[in-house]
Amino acid sequence: MSTATVERPETSAAAPFWDRQRRLGVGVVVIGLLAVVLFGALAPSETARFTLSDDAEGAAFSINGQLGAILFGVIALAAGGVLLAGLWRRFQTSMLSLGILAFVLSFLCWQVAGKFLPLVDTVSGTLELAVPLILGALAGVLGERSGVINVAIEGQFLMGAFFAALVGTMATSVWAGLFSAAVGGVIIAGILAVLAIRYLVDQTVVGIVLNLLALGVTGFLYERLMQPNAQSYNQPPKMPEWRIPGLADIPVVGPVLFDTNLLVWLALILVFVVHFALTRTRWGLRTRAVGEHPTAADTVGIRVRGLRYLNVLLGGLIAGAGGAYFTLVATGSFNKNMTAGAGFIALAALIFGRWTPFGALGAALFFGFAQKLATYLSAVGSPVPSQFLNMLPYLATIVAVAGLVGRVRAPAADGQPYVKS
């Protein structure tokens, strides 16, 4: 008589208890408690005003600072409790988003109490700061969905920013600068593609090396060429803001979307274009096939290496245009290492956004809001140390990638060189 080993029911029942949803629930409960106890205790009993105008008039929403901090903290606790109890599994992403949003609002009630927060300026600034991150993350989407890890986004930003300033100044044309920025990104992308696809060099190592190469080349040329004669080589024209009559007068949305510069429109349009192309076109189907199973794609006649070359170069074109933001929009001149790690934050937005265009857009807006909030709090004399405020975007990156992403699966062939058998 044979015997069979039977799995104990209590073991199988207990195994999934601490799954991703409950682990996220613990985190949301912790931040909810922090909001209630800390922010609620520190917030003064003064009115926090959130206004549509740039001054204290025209409040769109007002609330007692201490009451608001506690109320939103309780909402975060409730969202964390739902996650921790394992309820509404289909809505765990919504509950997580609600908990994070409530925590942010609780923090704002503490900081804005007795002051005001201009909503239009905050939303507009968030979108502008997110522009290079959106473009950089889209470059990463194009490369990694076809199997090539693009760690060189930072280098593409730097080369784009440098060429935008140099050529834009020499040609006295913002459009020449934007075109040259895209070319600068393609140069770095081309080197990445050749080394990673043709010579099968480790893609992460190549990306880091290219970042250092871009930093060294642009730093050297800045010191030798731009710094001694800034008027001739480092004073590009600023990108103009275009206003669409009628649409720009729509409250909140109008000034943000229809009274802005070309790069904002370009970034938002490219999110829709890349999403549609990846999901609704033959090129998108082939790209996803190459990123998931290149051998199977090869057997049905798809040119794996050729498609990877194409997508990496397209990504470099987009990331280079993102680099133009730093010189043609943000500062008006080039400085050494002026991107300050924005390429790595774009890479984090790509991962946090689950390698999708719209996910990357949401993550980029999250990081852009962290940067804008740091600027605002510094201006209003927040009791939080300025060093910590400047760390907010990078802390948000760490939290997003290490704590909130969870078990996100990259494309199966991401980072794996393909050798035709």
Side-chain angles (χ1 to χ4, degrees), residues 295-387:
T295 304
D298 194 8
T299 59
V300 297
I302 298 174
R303 296 178 62 247
V304 175
R305 287 189 171 183
L307 192 59
R308 287 185 171 182
Y309 272 114
L310 172 64
N311 290 345
V312 171
L313 292 176
L314 285 175
L317 193 75
I318 294 173
Y325 164 86
F326 297 97
T327 49
L328 300 182
V329 177
T331 62
S333 62
F334 180 81
N335 288 298
K336 288 197 301 182
N337 196 25
M338 67 182 306
T339 55
F344 296 106
I345 298 180
L347 189 62
L350 161 70
I351 299 170
F352 190 27
R354 299 170 181 259
W355 288 268
T356 63
F358 281 107
L361 170 64
L365 290 173
F366 172 67
F367 297 140
F369 174 72
Q371 289 179 283
K372 181 62 179 178
L373 183 60
T375 303
Y376 165 77
L377 295 179
S378 297
V380 299
S382 170
V384 181
S386 60
Q387 292 84 354

Side-chain angles (χ1 to χ4, degrees), residues 34-109:
L34 177 65
V36 171
V37 176
L38 182 61
F39 301 161
L42 293 176
S45 296
E46 300 180 57
T47 301
R49 296 184 296 276
F50 300 85
T51 68
L52 295 178
S53 59
D54 292 337
D55 52 29
E57 301 300 323
F61 176 70
S62 300
I63 191 172
N64 180 278
Q66 188 174 52
L67 178 62
I70 295 174
L71 175 62
F72 288 118
V74 170
I75 294 175
L77 275 173
V82 171
L83 291 170
L84 190 57
L87 304 174
W88 298 350
R89 291 185 174 274
R90 292 178 58 187
F91 303 100
Q92 60 176 297
T93 302
S94 299
M95 289 295 102
L96 175 62
S97 302
L98 176 62
I100 296 173
L101 176 62
F103 175 79
V104 171
L105 290 174
S106 177
F107 176 76
L108 286 177
C109 285

Side-chain angles (χ1 to χ4, degrees), residues 2-192:
S2 62
T3 59
T5 302
V6 179
E7 185 179 2
R8 297 175 62 185
E10 61 268 24
T11 302
S12 60
F17 182 79
W18 288 109
D19 57 7
R20 177 176 180 264
Q21 176 172 336
R22 288 187 169 91
R23 291 195 298 270
L24 291 175
V26 171
V28 176
V29 166
V30 169
I31 64 174
L33 285 172
L34 177 65
V36 171
V37 176
L38 182 61
F39 301 161
L42 293 176
S45 296
E46 300 180 57
T47 301
R49 296 184 296 276
F50 300 85
T51 68
L52 295 178
S53 59
D54 292 337
D55 52 29
E57 301 300 323
F61 176 70
S62 300
I63 191 172
N64 180 278
Q66 188 174 52
L67 178 62
I70 295 174
L71 175 62
F72 288 118
V74 170
I75 294 175
L77 275 173
V82 171
L83 291 170
L84 190 57
L87 304 174
W88 298 350
R89 291 185 174 274
R90 292 178 58 187
F91 303 100
Q92 60 176 297
T93 302
S94 299
M95 289 295 102
L96 175 62
S97 302
L98 176 62
I100 296 173
L101 176 62
F103 175 79
V104 171
L105 290 174
S106 177
F107 176 76
L108 286 177
C109 285
W110 166 36
Q111 292 295 304
V112 181
K115 309 179 186 70
F116 70 95
L117 177 68
L119 293 177
V120 173
D121 179 70
T122 300
V123 175
S124 179
T126 294
L127 182 57
E128 279 205 7
L129 289 169
V131 163
L133 306 182
I134 296 170
L135 294 173
L138 287 178
V141 168
L142 290 174
E144 300 204 17
R145 291 300 291 266
S146 55
V148 179
I149 296 175
N150 189 357
V151 183
I153 299 173
E154 178 79 358
Q156 292 164 358
F157 277 172
L158 269 175
M159 290 295 283
F162 176 81
F163 275 98
L166 179 65
V167 178
T169 304
M170 295 175 65
T172 64
S173 169
V174 68
W175 310 118
L178 180 60
F179 177 79
S180 301
V183 172
V186 168
I187 292 173
I188 297 295
I191 300 173
L192 170 65

